[in-house]
Amino acid sequence: MTQEKLVRLRYFLAFAELGLLSAVAARFDVNESSVSRTLKAFEKEIGRTLFAQQGRRLALTTEGWEIYNIMKAAVENFDAAYQKISKSDNKISGKIRISTASGFAGSFLLDLLDSFSNHYSDIHFETHIGLGLSALRSYEVDLITMTSFSSDSDDLVILERGLNHYVSVATPEVIEQHGKIDTVQDLKNLRVFAYGGQERSLTRYLYKGSKKKEIVCSDYFTSDSLWAIKSAILKNKGVAVDLPLFFCAEEIKKGQLIPILNGWGKPSAKLYSVLTKTQWRKPRIRIFAEWFSEESKKCYPKPEDVITAP
């Protein structure tokens, strides 16, 4: 495969995953017109209709998704094989400064950083908790994680890193004391705990499909520490309405925490790695950002993998 064909294929796969010409342009540090020309050339080369206009946006056709599914695995295998025979990437060195949410940091971050360091021993890390865009743009950190983030700014590179599912839970003792907690109205005589940090908005409403209900309860406690909330719930101090599933999956499997509210809850949210284009151009940060975003996806369980249907 020629270099030109490989570039076309990589742009195509990136467009399928990101859905926007601007996002592809940001990932490869080129302009949108270059991405558009490359995708048109790829479509002509393949000889099938891969794209269709949907309003003002370009989207993949059914044939386009078929090509994506065929070629994604092939390119991943190629990249994995190339990494095995190439030592050039292992020569990257220097410091990477990363900021994540406290719950993720306490649960997964160190294991991920140690795993990356096993491949790139000359990389060292500086970690922070809860820093945002201002810290990123002032170059206090190289990469931040964000929840349900969207931006039209052309100075950022945004990579998906998973889907966070939230769950409402209580201990068996609290359920035995108060009876079934199946509806939002059942919270009225209970103490409710909710996350109150910077990473996501305060949970004041719960949803079930298209239905929406405001939380009305006896006491409403918020904390920017998921650890503090889980500890309080396990001590039978109340119920939680928006714990990340990854953060309480083990307790649910062991029966220490029980999902409540019969499907009412906080909607799932996409998670992102965010960095500036300036930092993206640095090989060590670009390599880490892509690796970190893909590995992070493995940290977030699906509800069906944790919660047993009654």
Side-chain angles (χ1 to χ4, degrees):
M1 180 182 293
T2 65
Q3 178 67 20
E4 185 179 15
K5 287 186 176 181
L6 185 58
V7 168
R8 291 175 181 175
L9 180 54
R10 290 194 185 279
Y11 280 22
F12 171 72
L13 295 179
F15 177 77
E17 293 163 2
L18 300 173
L20 292 171
L21 294 176
S22 58
V24 179
R27 173 173 288 189
F28 294 97
D29 194 23
V30 296
N31 56 49
E32 287 188 39
S33 60
S34 176
V35 174
S36 180
R37 289 195 301 271
T38 301
L39 292 180
K40 289 178 181 177
F42 181 73
E43 184 177 47
K44 183 177 180 180
E45 178 185 355
I46 297 300
R48 299 170 69 176
T49 303
L50 305 181
F51 308 99
Q53 203 72 31
Q54 292 185 353
R56 295 183 177 181
R57 295 181 59 176
L58 195 66
L60 287 191
T61 63
T62 300
E63 282 190 309
W65 283 113
E66 289 176 357
I67 297 298
Y68 169 79
N69 290 330
I70 292 170
M71 298 308 300
K72 178 176 173 57
V75 172
E76 287 177 346
N77 289 336
F78 170 82
D79 288 341
Y82 188 83
Q83 187 171 352
K84 286 183 179 179
I85 65 172
S86 173
K87 295 183 178 180
S88 59
D89 281 348
N90 290 324
K91 294 179 181 178
I92 63 172
S93 61
K95 180 188 291 186
I96 297 175
R97 302 162 300 167
I98 178 173
S99 176
T100 68
S102 59
F104 182 85
S107 300
F108 303 115
L109 183 60
L110 288 180
D111 286 341
L112 286 174
L113 300 188
D114 286 345
S115 178
F116 188 81
S117 295
N118 288 336
H119 297 285
Y120 305 98
S121 58
D122 291 330
I123 291 292
H124 304 283
F125 293 96
E126 177 181 302
T127 62
H128 300 265
I129 299 298
L131 297 183
L133 283 174
S134 60
L136 183 72
R137 287 192 167 116
S138 62
Y139 299 101
E140 296 174 48
V141 289
D142 302 310
L143 180 149
I144 62 174
T145 62
M146 300 193 72
T147 302
S148 299
F149 174 71
S150 61
S151 174
D152 295 328
S153 177
D154 61 1
D155 68 327
L156 300 177
V157 177
I158 303 167
L159 306 175
E160 287 192 20
R161 53 175 290 269
L163 184 65
N164 209 357
H165 300 281
Y166 303 101
V167 62
S168 302
V169 292
T171 60
E173 291 79 7
V174 167
I175 294 173
E176 182 178 355
Q177 178 183 353
H178 293 277
K180 289 185 177 181
I181 309 171
D182 288 339
T183 68
V184 181
Q185 290 89 329
D186 292 334
L187 298 174
K188 63 182 179 181
N189 296 319
L190 293 170
R191 178 183 292 144
V192 166
F193 288 84
Y195 178 75
Q198 296 181 354
E199 285 81 11
R200 51 185 166 95
S201 59
L202 194 62
T203 304
R204 289 292 187 180
Y205 295 88
L206 297 176
Y207 299 81
K208 188 175 184 179
S210 60
K211 299 178 182 178
K212 171 184 176 182
K213 289 189 179 295
E214 185 177 7
I215 296 173
V216 178
C217 56
S218 174
D219 300 296
Y220 187 80
F221 280 68
T222 65
S223 173
D224 62 358
S225 170
L226 293 175
W227 301 94
I229 292 174
K230 186 167 70 171
S231 176
I233 301 306
L234 289 171
K235 292 177 181 178
N236 303 317
K237 299 297 185 181
V239 305
V241 292
D242 59 0
L243 273 183
L245 181 59
F246 78 83
F247 195 70
C248 56
E250 289 305 312
E251 289 82 5
I252 291 175
K253 290 178 180 179
K254 293 176 181 178
Q256 296 172 322
L257 292 176
I258 307 296
I260 58 174
L261 295 180
N262 193 27
W264 287 93
K266 184 179 183 68
S268 301
K270 287 185 177 181
L271 303 167
Y272 300 94
S273 300
V274 184
L275 57 161
T276 65
K277 283 186 178 179
T278 299
Q279 300 302 71
W280 176 258
R281 295 187 185 103
K282 299 176 182 178
R284 72 178 188 281
I285 297 174
R286 182 175 64 252
I287 290 169
F288 172 73
E290 292 186 316
W291 180 92
F292 174 75
S293 298
E294 287 303 312
E295 290 300 307
S296 293
K297 293 176 183 178
K298 303 173 184 178
C299 298
Y300 298 96
K302 299 177 182 178
E304 57 267 27
D305 296 332
V306 177
I307 300 172
T308 303

